[in-house]
Amino acid sequence: MDRPSRIGLLLRRRKGLLKTLGVFGILGAGGFAFLSFHGNDALLTPLRNRLEAAIPLKVTAIRVEGQNLTSLDSIRTALGVSVGDSMLGFHVTEARQRLDDLPFVDHASVERHLSGLIVVRLVERPPFAVWQNKGRFVLIDRNGEPVPDKGMTGKDAQAFMKLPLVVGEGAAHSAAELLDALAKAPDVSARMTAATLVGERRWSISLRDGTVVQLPEAEEEAALNRLERLQKQFGLLDRPVEVIDMRLPDRLTIRERQAPPTPDSTPGAAPVDGHGDAATPHSGQQPGAENGTTGGSSERSGRANTTEEGLPA
């Protein structure tokens, strides 16, 4: 009964080994605590330098995938490493975080291979249009969501000056359908400067020469195709037109720009028929043109209702 157990006999025989392990454990814990509180860069830098000299792992190549909008210089700066640098000093996690902070980068992944190859994969969030609302300009994606600029510089912004401009409340989330329809009407699209959503229901398009095209609600693609056909057949968009109203499916209303006043129409000129209160029509005006019932144009009202077959010459 007084004989010690097998575990007790083993501990007595290995007493010296246990003491040695205990000493090393205490020293290890103390060293870890010291490095935790006082930092380890100053102590580990010499060791790392020796390892780099003994194991010459260098960056041999950097491969970037998914890069369209982000400049290669920005990617290299965010990586913090170049070809020829040591692989041991490259921190994958920190490099990935810096890449995520670049303008127009949704997220990034970074891989480091023993061969010295670093692979960077970017998923970018390209802007689709510029949305103007209440005096503010915001880059938006195809879904109408704002694209975070993440510190975009003026040079970055210059690259997006040619993006289409959409204006008005609700225009951001309705722009994709209109812009897709415009892509099928290149003659119209090439002249467009802005598209305005009116009353959150229908679009009006402003052209470079100041012409405004009023499109019908929910029938933008058909109206744009019709306008494209009119431009090819009659060069309608090359004429001095102020407004092209396409809101009615069976009628096209055109308001031409008024010509500069002639000397005969200056204030104080004598009336043609000698009666100051007579409403004499201008030369070439047809009866009923003022209310838009004929296919001719009117200098008084500047309006004309027509279809493709009756477009005024």
Side-chain angles (χ1 to χ4, degrees):
M1 297 296 293
D2 295 335
R3 184 179 178 179
S5 64
R6 293 181 180 181
I7 296 177
L9 290 173
L10 180 62
L11 292 176
R12 288 181 184 181
R13 293 173 183 175
R14 303 296 182 183
K15 185 181 296 184
L17 178 60
L18 292 174
K19 288 182 179 179
T20 303
L21 293 175
V23 171
F24 277 108
I26 294 172
L27 291 176
F32 177 77
F34 178 80
L35 292 176
S36 299
F37 284 102
H38 299 281
N40 55 9
D41 286 342
L43 298 175
L44 295 183
T45 298
L47 177 60
R48 186 173 61 218
N49 292 337
R50 291 180 184 177
L51 289 174
E52 291 177 357
I55 310 174
L57 293 177
K58 303 292 184 180
V59 178
T60 59
I62 299 174
R63 190 173 72 206
V64 180
E65 300 175 1
Q67 174 266 338
N68 292 302
L69 302 174
T70 310
S71 67
L72 291 176
D73 290 339
S74 299
I75 295 173
R76 294 190 189 100
T77 302
L79 279 175
V81 69
S82 302
V83 174
D85 293 346
S86 171
M87 291 281 284
L88 294 178
F90 176 61
H91 300 282
V92 174
T93 303
E94 295 177 3
R96 185 176 64 249
Q97 291 174 349
R98 290 192 295 267
L99 287 169
D100 286 343
D101 290 336
L102 290 177
F104 316 118
V105 174
D106 188 77
H107 62 275
S109 65
V110 181
E111 297 177 0
R112 176 175 54 184
H113 298 267
L114 291 177
S115 62
L117 173 66
I118 294 177
V119 180
V120 178
R121 293 186 176 89
L122 300 180
V123 177
E124 295 180 328
R125 192 178 177 187
F128 182 68
V130 179
W131 176 38
Q132 179 186 353
N133 188 39
K134 299 178 180 179
R136 295 178 63 248
F137 293 87
V138 181
L139 288 172
I140 57 173
D141 61 15
R142 185 175 180 84
N143 297 323
E145 300 298 329
V147 177
D149 56 23
K150 300 179 182 177
M152 181 178 62
T153 64
K155 184 178 180 180
D156 295 325
Q158 191 71 21
F160 301 103
M161 292 294 290
K162 295 183 179 180
L163 286 175
L165 175 66
V166 295
V167 184
E169 190 74 26
H173 292 91
S174 304
E177 186 175 355
L178 174 71
L179 296 179
D180 287 345
L182 274 166
K184 301 176 183 178
D187 286 341
V188 182
S189 178
R191 291 170 169 79
M192 190 193 81
T193 58
T196 303
L197 187 63
V198 181
E200 300 188 43
R201 295 185 300 106
R202 64 168 191 85
W203 290 96
S204 287
I205 298 176
S206 299
L207 305 184
R208 284 198 307 262
D209 62 353
T211 302
V212 176
V213 180
Q214 299 173 338
L215 298 177
E217 182 179 356
E219 295 292 337
E220 295 88 359
E221 184 172 352
L224 289 170
N225 290 338
R226 182 185 179 194
L227 186 59
E228 182 82 1
R229 186 168 62 252
L230 288 172
Q231 171 60 20
K232 292 184 182 301
Q233 294 178 352
F234 304 105
L236 175 60
L237 301 180
D238 298 324
R239 302 188 181 193
V241 176
E242 184 175 353
V243 176
I244 302 176
D245 190 345
M246 308 184 72
R247 290 176 292 178
L248 297 178
D250 60 342
R251 183 176 301 180
L252 180 72
T253 303
I254 299 174
R255 184 166 71 223
E256 296 181 343
R257 291 191 184 91
Q258 294 186 0
T262 61
D264 292 340
S265 62
T266 55
V272 176
D273 59 356
H275 299 283
D277 56 349
T280 305
H282 292 275
S283 175
Q285 180 178 340
Q286 300 179 12
E290 237 178 287
N291 57 18
T293 58
T294 72
S297 63
S298 167
E299 290 182 0
R300 180 186 299 274
S301 65
R303 300 181 64 88
N305 295 339
T306 183
T307 62
E308 288 87 340
E309 294 76 11
L311 192 68

